[in-house]
Structures are given as C-alpha cells and as structure tokens.
Amino acid sequence: MEESKFESEIKFPEQHEFGRKELDIAEIEMPGLMGIREEFGPKQVLKGAKISGSLHMTIQTGALIETLHALGAELRWASCNIYSTQDHAAAAIVKKQTSKVFAWKGETLEEYWNCTNKMLTWPDYPGPDILVDDGGDATLLIHEGVKAEHHFAKTGELPDPSKFDNLEFQQVMRIIKEGLQGGLTQKWTKMAANLKGVSEETTTGVHRLNQMSAKGELLVKCINVNDCVTKSKFDNVYGCRHSLPDGIMRATDVMIAGKQVVILGYGDVGKGCAAAMKACGARVVVTECDPICALQACMEGFDVKRLESVVSTADIFVTSTGNKGIIMAHHMAQMKNNAIVGNIGHFDNEIDMAGLEAYPGISRTEIKAQVDRYVFPDGHGVIILAQGRLLNLGCATGHPSFVMSCSFANQALAQIDLWENRDTNKYENGKVYKLPKELDEKVARLHLPALNAELTELSQEQADYIDVKVEGPFKHEEYRY
C-alpha cells in the first residue's frame, strides 16, 4: 500500500489526474456544495476545525471533502465500506492535500478498521472536533473504546476479541486492545470528551444513535442528516433509482426486462429500487413487514409476497430493509440456477454471507471483482454481488453527483452548525437533532436553478391562509413529503 509523505494510505496515487478530471465534472453537477463554498468559503466558517470522515471515498465525497476544506477545515478521511472507495478519487484528494486519506477499494476487514482508527487519530491532538459518519462505525469505535478503557481502569482486564462472533466487532475489540497494550489507556475517553458533534448520514446509523440516546449511552451531540427531506427523499429514493440498475448491469450484463425481481423492503430505498426495476420492464415483487409500506406497494401496482412464496421463481433479489438476516443461506439453497442476489440496504448483514460460506459442500468461483458464483452441492448456483455489501457502490460508482449534492449540502451545513455552536447550549450531549426545515429548503433552493425551475411566490394573503411565512418554511414539521 502506498504511504505518501502527506500521511495517507491509498492504492493508486498515479490515478490522481483521472480523479481530478472527474472531480471537475462532478462539481458542475453539484450546485448545492458549490453554493455553500461560494457563500461560506470567504468567511472561513470552519477555520480551526479538525474533521474526521467515515464515508464512502468516492468522487462525490471528494467534492464534500474539498468543500469542507474550502471552508477552513483540516480533514482526515476513511471509507465506510471495504468495496466502495474509488481509488482515483482518493488519489486526487491526496495529491491536492485537501485531506489525509486512508482508503482503497478491496480492503480486508482488518485493514478497514485500521484505516478507521487512523482516520480518527490526530497526532498531538485528542481526536476530531467533528465527525462525519456513515452507518455509525466510527461512532461505535469511539464509544466501545471508552467502555473498554473504563473497564480496564477498574479491573486491568483487556478486551478479548475471540469472545465475539461478529467478525467486524472482533476487529473493533482488536483495535482497542492493541491501544491499551500500547499504553493508550485514555485515548478514546479523551477523544469523546473533545468531540463537538457527529453528523450521521444513514438510516441505520441514525437508528443506532437513537438507541444509544434512549439508553443514556450516547456521549456526544449528534445531527441526523439522513432524515432531512433533501437527503432521505433524494439520496434514498432517486439515488437508488439510478444506481441499482447501474450496479446490476455493470456486474452481470443481465437483461432486467421480463425478469421477476424481488425488492425486500419498501421504505425510501425500496421505493426507489422498485420504481427502477419496473422502469426496466421487470415483474416486481415486494416483501414487507410494515402494513402501511405494504399497502403503498400494492397501490403502486406491485405484488406483495413473503420471500418464501417467490424464492424459487424469482431471478433477482435485492435487500433494502436496513435490517439483518433478510436472505439466509437456506433461502439461497432454494433459488433457481444463477439467481442474482444483492444488497442496497444496510452494510453487510442483510444477506447471510457467513451462512452461505459455511454451507456444507458449497464452492465459490470469482467471476470478476465483487461478482461471485456460489455453487451448491446439487449443482445450482447463485450470483452474489459485492459479497452482500452495497452493490451500487461495490459494482458501480454509487449515486450520481447531483443527488449526492443534496445529501452532502446537508452534511456541510450540519458541520457548520455543530462548529459554530460548539460553545453554546443549542445542542446537548447525548441527544440527536435534525437540521431545521429552513436549511432543508435552502438545500433544495440551491439545486433548482441548475434544473431551470421557477418557484411560485405566495402573496401575504396566501401565506397567512396556510399559516406560513412568505419566504418559508412552507410545511410544518409534521408534514410528510
């Protein structure tokens, strides 16, 4: 792995020119981030802020990094997925020295958690002032580190990674154990105390934060970026609508039209996925546990079935629930030959990869990077995309720049808000907040000129009639878009 003088670890530094060309194109497609640079850059609103980021190291993330840098921040970055890094994007960022980067496509789990640790570790400083997180891995490492340090101080006992079945959590415990053995007995405690806030990108990450907050375990103040309308309804719906078929077709070249496609989960992500497959001519089936989402799927013309009813007939299966244990090894054993199985929901536990690997008599053939065929003892096989991780990032390039501009404009505004209010009482440790609707509408406004959209202006009488301000916000907090 290439270690540059600019304290980074990337794989192909020579790809920096390619990365810069794509970044230049992406910036034109990201009016939200460019608008934030134009408005806040001269003010250097993030000057002095040390920001760590655990978020897919893509071209679009590169535009976010360089926006935060343009606002005055110093950055360290790692990817939140072992397959999602675009190496040319990482090379471009390191070449320009806008952030330290510790990421490459195809990391092992050990390498991934080592990179996460390096991203969080600031030489001669307790740790990041603010954290951009995607899925909660970095937040988890900090909190587990604090717990282990407190336990070590009381008992002298080191964490034992072998006590845990989860392979990822074993790596978390390894990182913490190695730190304690090296004499870093207060590293995570000092880091948590220094951290001014976290802005979380994803549904699952926010769910984790809310659980920790409810239990009184959350040590920091957090902003829920995921539930901004211009994130959840754009990234999750429109982004997935674009990148799911892109990932499937790049991975397999399969004809989607006419195929039976099962979308497991009909939340925002599932809605985008189902719409995409329908537009490709597929016969779409949805699985759901939520009666409201199930009824929505029915009203859009989709069959709603249990997985068991279609497991032996469907051609393509896509998990999009944000839950765990959705497609198990015994389900895949019943699928037709060469059924395609992929995930676009939560990181890597929607599809039972451990059970598939351990299935008696199973054999695996790598077709190409992130595309594997697993053959069962009876001779039939299933094609697994991105080893059960996010197929749109593992097998393609993720969401397009325009929709990520919506998401990342929210991230940038959240980082600004956390930094500007680091010494105020606006946010409390242990609580999770949403950005105000004014900022949500601001993000939308930043993108409309690029689409030649014209907003109608309310008269004062009209605004009074629906109890809003002429300039907005135009919906009350309880409104569901």
Side-chain angles (χ1 to χ4, degrees):
M1 201 52 50
E2 181 79 13
E3 292 194 38
S4 73
K5 295 178 181 178
F6 182 61
E7 201 217 343
S8 293
E9 293 182 28
I10 59 175
K11 197 167 187 179
F12 298 111
E14 68 276 10
Q15 293 184 1
H16 65 89
E17 288 187 5
F18 174 35
R20 181 52 53 189
K21 290 173 183 176
E22 289 218 325
L23 266 164
D24 289 344
I25 292 172
E27 287 182 357
I28 298 169
E29 273 284 289
M30 303 186 83
L33 284 183
M34 296 306 104
I36 287 172
R37 286 190 203 180
E38 183 179 351
E39 179 179 352
F40 296 105
K43 304 173 187 176
Q44 290 290 283
V45 292
L46 290 176
K47 187 175 182 179
K50 291 178 169 57
I51 298 177
S52 288
S54 172
L55 199 156
H56 310 285
M57 185 58 252
T58 62
I59 289 294
Q60 292 73 29
T61 300
L64 170 62
I65 287 170
E66 297 199 329
T67 298
L68 298 175
H69 181 268
L71 272 51
E74 184 181 352
L75 298 109
R76 296 173 74 87
W77 213 269
S79 192
C80 60
N81 185 299
I82 62 174
Y83 294 130
S84 65
T85 296
Q86 294 170 7
D87 290 310
H88 61 305
I93 294 300
V94 171
K95 180 66 176 180
K96 197 172 180 180
Q97 299 192 0
T98 41
S99 175
K100 312 292 199 310
V101 178
F102 309 91
W104 58 93
K105 191 178 185 73
E107 298 162 359
T108 65
L109 282 183
E110 181 176 0
E111 289 169 339
Y112 168 79
W113 284 101
N114 287 343
C115 287
T116 302
N117 184 30
K118 290 173 183 177
M119 171 270 299
L120 288 170
T121 304
W122 289 75
D124 304 317
Y125 198 74
D129 295 315
I130 328 174
L131 174 64
V132 177
D133 209 358
D134 184 323
D137 278 359
T139 305
L140 172 72
L141 179 55
I142 293 170
H143 282 73
E144 290 299 327
V146 172
K147 289 180 188 176
E149 287 174 351
H150 288 175
H151 183 74
F152 181 77
K154 290 180 181 179
T155 67
E157 293 178 1
L158 292 168
D160 183 359
S162 66
K163 288 184 177 180
F164 301 94
D165 294 329
N166 185 283
L167 296 178
E168 299 253 13
F169 205 72
Q170 288 177 9
Q171 294 298 326
V172 172
M173 291 296 107
R174 174 188 63 81
I175 292 287
I176 296 167
K177 179 181 179 180
E178 289 174 355
L180 290 169
Q181 288 175 321
L184 300 176
T185 58
Q186 289 288 301
K187 172 180 177 173
W188 304 106
T189 303
K190 291 179 180 178
M191 187 180 295
N194 177 73
L195 191 59
K196 309 300 186 295
V198 176
S199 58
E200 170 57 49
E201 176 79 2
T202 64
T203 306
T204 302
V206 169
H207 183 60
R208 285 179 176 176
L209 292 178
N210 286 332
Q211 286 180 321
M212 294 168 70
S213 179
K215 294 177 182 177
E217 298 174 352
L218 187 61
L219 301 175
V220 295
K221 56 196 79 168
C222 300
I223 290 182
N224 164 8
V225 169
N226 178 74
D227 289 330
C228 296
V229 178
T230 44
K231 195 280 181 184
S232 63
K233 298 295 181 183
F234 289 78
D235 180 313
N236 295 6
V237 179
Y238 307 126
C240 292
R241 193 174 71 183
H242 174 100
S243 63
L244 172 65
D246 186 27
I248 292 173
M249 289 186 280
R250 290 198 200 204
T252 66
D253 258 345
V254 71
M255 180 78 168
I256 295 174
K259 298 293 195 301
Q260 186 179 56
V261 178
V262 182
I263 304 297
L264 296 100
Y266 198 68
D268 285 334
V269 171
K271 288 177 172 67
C273 293
M277 294 295 96
K278 183 178 181 179
C280 289
R283 297 172 291 121
V284 180
V285 176
V286 167
T287 74
E288 250 303 338
C289 64
D290 184 326
I292 295 175
C293 292
L295 183 58
Q296 285 180 313
C298 288
M299 300 301 283
E300 291 294 337
F302 301 122
D303 284 339
V304 177
K305 302 291 183 183
R306 292 180 178 174
L307 174 57
E308 289 74 14
S309 299
V310 292
V311 69
S312 62
T313 62
D315 302 285
I316 302 173
F317 299 82
V318 179
T319 55
S320 62
T321 70
N323 208 326
K324 62 179 288 187
I326 305 303
I327 294 180
M328 306 304 290
H330 68 85
H331 291 129
M332 290 180 271
Q334 301 172 60
M335 291 177 181
K336 63 164 60 174
N337 188 42
N338 278 10
I340 297 167
V341 182
N343 167 51
I344 198 171
H346 183 42
F347 288 163
D348 65 345
N349 59 5
E350 298 213 22
I351 299 170
D352 178 22
M353 292 306 300
L356 183 62
E357 294 278 1
Y359 197 91
I362 198 82
S363 65
R364 171 191 171 192
T365 300
E366 183 182 54
I367 308 302
K368 59 183 178 180
Q370 282 80 62
V371 182
D372 300 281
R373 186 169 185 263
Y374 285 80
V375 180
F376 288 84
D378 66 0
H380 92 283
V382 294
I383 296 171
I384 304 293
L385 306 184
Q387 282 291 293
R389 292 173 181 265
L390 299 175
L391 74 88
N392 58 326
L393 281 153
C395 300
T397 58
H399 295 343
S401 298
F402 191 86
V403 79
M404 292 314 300
S405 179
C406 294
S407 289
F408 289 164
N410 283 299
Q411 277 285 5
L413 291 172
Q415 293 285 300
I416 293 168
D417 207 28
L418 285 168
W419 183 242
E420 289 185 335
N421 289 285
R422 61 192 182 277
D423 297 320
T424 73
N425 295 321
K426 182 176 181 179
Y427 300 120
E428 294 181 34
N429 281 343
K431 293 188 177 181
V432 183
Y433 299 85
K434 288 202 301 183
L435 286 173
K437 194 168 288 291
E438 289 90 341
L439 293 182
D440 222 342
E441 291 187 359
K442 177 186 180 74
V443 169
R445 283 182 186 275
L446 287 170
H447 291 84
L448 291 174
L451 302 175
N452 294 320
E454 299 176 355
L455 280 174
T456 300
E457 294 185 10
L458 294 180
S459 68
Q460 187 62 58
E461 183 180 3
Q462 289 172 320
D464 291 343
Y465 186 73
I466 59 173
D467 192 27
V468 300
K469 297 178 181 178
V470 170
E471 67 277 10
F474 297 96
K475 301 290 188 292
H476 298 291
E477 281 298 329
E478 63 273 13
Y479 182 82
R480 300 174 182 178
Y481 289 82

